[in-house]
């Protein structure tokens, strides 16, 4: 089977109209996906995407178009036989590296292309991605990782030892995930632009209807409002059987983060997420030193590669590692970061939401538990209840847990009609919104 070509699409959804996704930094998000479909001379296709907030999605689509031709004409069998080599094929281009390297729009595009290959691989093997990788030997899993720039913190030999240590009990964890699912938390009730009445209703619904006991609140725009909102959420969910996290989405400087959080510590947040710039490793370390153990520090949705995560861990700057399935360079780099987190004793709690991120990270959290962590302590995966209806294999959450995906692939395939309707700028749904004067 050969890769014969590819298609790309700029797909956007008007989530800003209802303040979905609103936080202190991102007030008008239109959840969007730059999509790639890898075509073959067989019946199967590989589907990948990267996530943006609207404007700039077209840049990621162009970047995908710059990377993907490297795959055309190659046999799928050769690509999947050595996924480590395939990752390097897509990331080691000396000219494309100049507009990275391994960061920014080119790395977002890399994630889409890499994940499309993994989706195709899983479909060929007739397995969901998490199970495909869970069935790898430790040696196979180590072989997909690029240790360049991280072997001062994690060697291939150390990674292999971590994986081999989990191997004897791996089958039991696979069975557990298939039966019970992976713990989730909800951010859907905590968007900053929602009214207090809506937040109260959504918290009650999340607890009573969907079984959530872990909630996240957006903070950082107005301290008095943050205190009021935290008090409201705690009134609804309580303290004894509920966990609350807070997320500032990078809006603060270092000293401001420390000062702002002082009155919020009363509400016992498990972590403060993205308290400052995602590139400020020493800033995160200073914030953690000031706030721990009253609360932990979490970050990752904008941590752009394994090297920044390595330094965050070396500096003891974070307590929770929030890998992003489309910010890092696809499955290969995510696995590298998960192994780093295990080496440094920090739990992985993926960032999700957006378009398709929940569909991605359910696979990643499960494979982390099965193959690497071997422990659910302090591990929870974000869930946001937006736009899942647009996916062929949408994620399912019941009783506050992600149900392990069972269909072959990476759950990243959008319905063809959704792509048509919401293609930017001339999809029929966008044309209608303009005609109605809503945008």
């Amino acid at each position: 089977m050969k890769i014969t070509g590819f298609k790309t699409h700029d797909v956007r959804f008007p989530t800003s109209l209802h303040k979905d996704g609103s936080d202190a930094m991102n007030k008008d998000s239109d959840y969007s996906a730059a999509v790639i479909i890898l075509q073959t001379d067989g019946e199967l296709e590989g589907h990948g995407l990267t996530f943006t907030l609207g404007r700039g999605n077209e840049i990621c689509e162009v970047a995908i178009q710059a990377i993907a031709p490297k795959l055309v004409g190659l046999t799928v069998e050769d690509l999947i036989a050595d996924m480590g080599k395939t990752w390097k094929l897509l990331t080691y281009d000396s000219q494309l590296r100049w507009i990275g390297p391994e960061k920014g729009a080119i790395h977002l595009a890399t994630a889409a292309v890499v994940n499309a290959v993994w989706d195709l691989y899983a479909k060929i093997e007739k397995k969901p991605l998490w199970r495909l990788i869970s069935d790898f030997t430790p040696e196979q899993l180590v072989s997909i990782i690029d240790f360049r720039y991280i072997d001062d913190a994690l060697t291939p030999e150390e990674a292999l030892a971590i994986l081999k240590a989990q191997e004897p009990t791996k089958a039991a964890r696979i069975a557990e995930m298939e039966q019970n699912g992976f713990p989730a938390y909800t951010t859907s009730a905590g968007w900053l632009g929602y009214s207090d009445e809506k937040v109260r209703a959504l918290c009650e619904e999340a607890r009573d209807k969907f079984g959530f006991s872990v909630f996240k609140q957006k903070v950082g725009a107005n301290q008095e409002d943050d205190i009021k909102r935290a008090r409201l959420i705690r009134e609804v969910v309580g303290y004894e059987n509920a966990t609350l996290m807070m997320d500032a989405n990078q809006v603060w400087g270092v000293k401001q983060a420390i000062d702002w959080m002082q009155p919020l510590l009363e509400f016992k947040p498990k972590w403060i997420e993205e308290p400052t710039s995602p590139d400020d490793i020493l800033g995160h370390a200073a914030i953690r030193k000031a706030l721990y153990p009253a609360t932990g520090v979490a970050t990752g949705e904008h941590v752009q590669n394994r090297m920044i995560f390595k330094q965050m861990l070396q500096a003891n700057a974070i307590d929770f590692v929030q890998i992003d399935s489309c910010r890092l360079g696809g499955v290969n780099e995510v696995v590298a970061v998960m192994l780093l987190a295990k080496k440094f004793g920090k739990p992985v709690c993926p960032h999700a939401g957006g378009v398709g991120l929940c569909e991605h990270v359910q696979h990643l959290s499960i494979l982390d538990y099965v193959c690497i962590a071997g422990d659910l302590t302090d591990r929870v995966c974000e869930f946001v209840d937006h736009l899942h209806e647009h996916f062929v294999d949408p994620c399912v959450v019941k009783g506050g847990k992600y149900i392990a995906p069972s269909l072959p692939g990476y759950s990243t395939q959008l319905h063809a009609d959704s792509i048509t309707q919401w293609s930017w700028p001339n999809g029929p749904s966008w044309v209608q919104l303009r005609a109605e004067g809503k945008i």
Side-chain angles (χ1 to χ4, degrees), residues 252-277:
W252 298 323
V254 173
K255 186 178 184 302
Q256 185 183 19
I258 295 167
D259 293 343
W260 196 293
M261 283 301 297
Q262 296 307 313
L264 292 171
L265 296 177
E266 169 192 346
F267 303 100
K268 301 187 182 306
K270 188 176 184 69
W271 73 52
I272 176 61
E273 181 175 334
E274 287 203 305
T276 193
S277 166

Side-chain angles (χ1 to χ4, degrees), residues 108-127:
L108 292 171
T110 296
V113 179
V114 169
N115 289 339
V117 178
W118 279 105
D119 178 62
L120 181 58
Y121 187 178
K123 288 173 179 174
I124 289 169
E125 296 298 325
K126 297 183 170 66
K127 296 177 182 180

Side-chain angles (χ1 to χ4, degrees), residues 231-417:
R231 183 171 289 116
L232 182 156
I233 293 173
R234 281 301 192 186
E235 286 174 359
V236 175
V237 305
Y239 285 85
E240 186 175 348
N241 298 309
T243 300
L244 177 64
M245 289 91 81
M246 295 179 178
D247 184 0
N249 289 95
Q250 315 162 33
V251 77
W252 298 323
V254 173
K255 186 178 184 302
Q256 185 183 19
I258 295 167
D259 293 343
W260 196 293
M261 283 301 297
Q262 296 307 313
L264 292 171
L265 296 177
E266 169 192 346
F267 303 100
K268 301 187 182 306
K270 188 176 184 69
W271 73 52
I272 176 61
E273 181 175 334
E274 287 203 305
T276 193
S277 166
D279 297 333
D280 191 352
I281 296 156
L282 297 182
H284 276 81
I287 293 166
R288 183 187 184 275
K289 183 178 180 180
L291 298 180
Y292 189 85
T295 192
V297 172
T299 201
E301 73 178 87
H302 277 79
V303 173
Q304 53 201 334
N305 52 47
R306 64 200 181 281
M307 291 75 80
I308 301 296
F309 269 120
K310 178 192 74 171
Q311 294 170 76
M312 288 277 190
L313 292 165
Q314 288 173 323
N316 200 25
I318 54 175
D319 300 285
F320 302 92
V321 176
Q322 295 182 299
I323 56 96
D324 184 287
S325 56
C326 296
R327 177 75 54 184
L328 295 171
V331 172
N332 305 59
E333 192 169 33
V334 167
V335 171
V337 173
M338 287 175 168
L339 283 161
L340 281 165
K342 175 67 174 177
K343 164 81 180 288
F344 285 87
K346 305 292 186 180
V348 174
C349 301
H351 166 252
V355 182
L357 297 186
C358 296
E359 278 67 27
H360 286 78
V361 298
Q362 59 182 339
H363 292 268
L364 302 175
S365 278
I366 293 172
L367 75 86
D368 176 49
Y369 173 56
V370 168
C371 299
I372 300 170
D375 182 11
L376 287 177
T377 303
D378 284 333
R379 281 175 167 78
V380 66
C381 187
E382 186 169 20
F383 174 75
V384 178
D385 195 14
H386 304 305
L387 305 174
H388 304 296
E389 67 275 13
H390 297 288
F391 286 85
V392 172
D393 182 23
C395 63
V396 176
V397 171
K398 291 182 180 179
K401 293 183 177 182
Y402 276 100
I403 304 305
S406 58
L407 294 183
Y410 199 0
S411 306
T412 48
Q413 182 172 345
L414 285 159
H415 286 294
D417 184 62

Side-chain angles (χ1 to χ4, degrees), residues 201-220:
L202 288 172
C203 284
E204 291 172 348
E205 180 184 56
R207 179 194 61 198
D208 300 337
K209 183 177 179 180
F210 297 107
F212 284 107
S213 61
V214 187
F215 305 81
K216 189 162 77 180
Q217 169 193 355
K218 297 292 185 173
V219 298

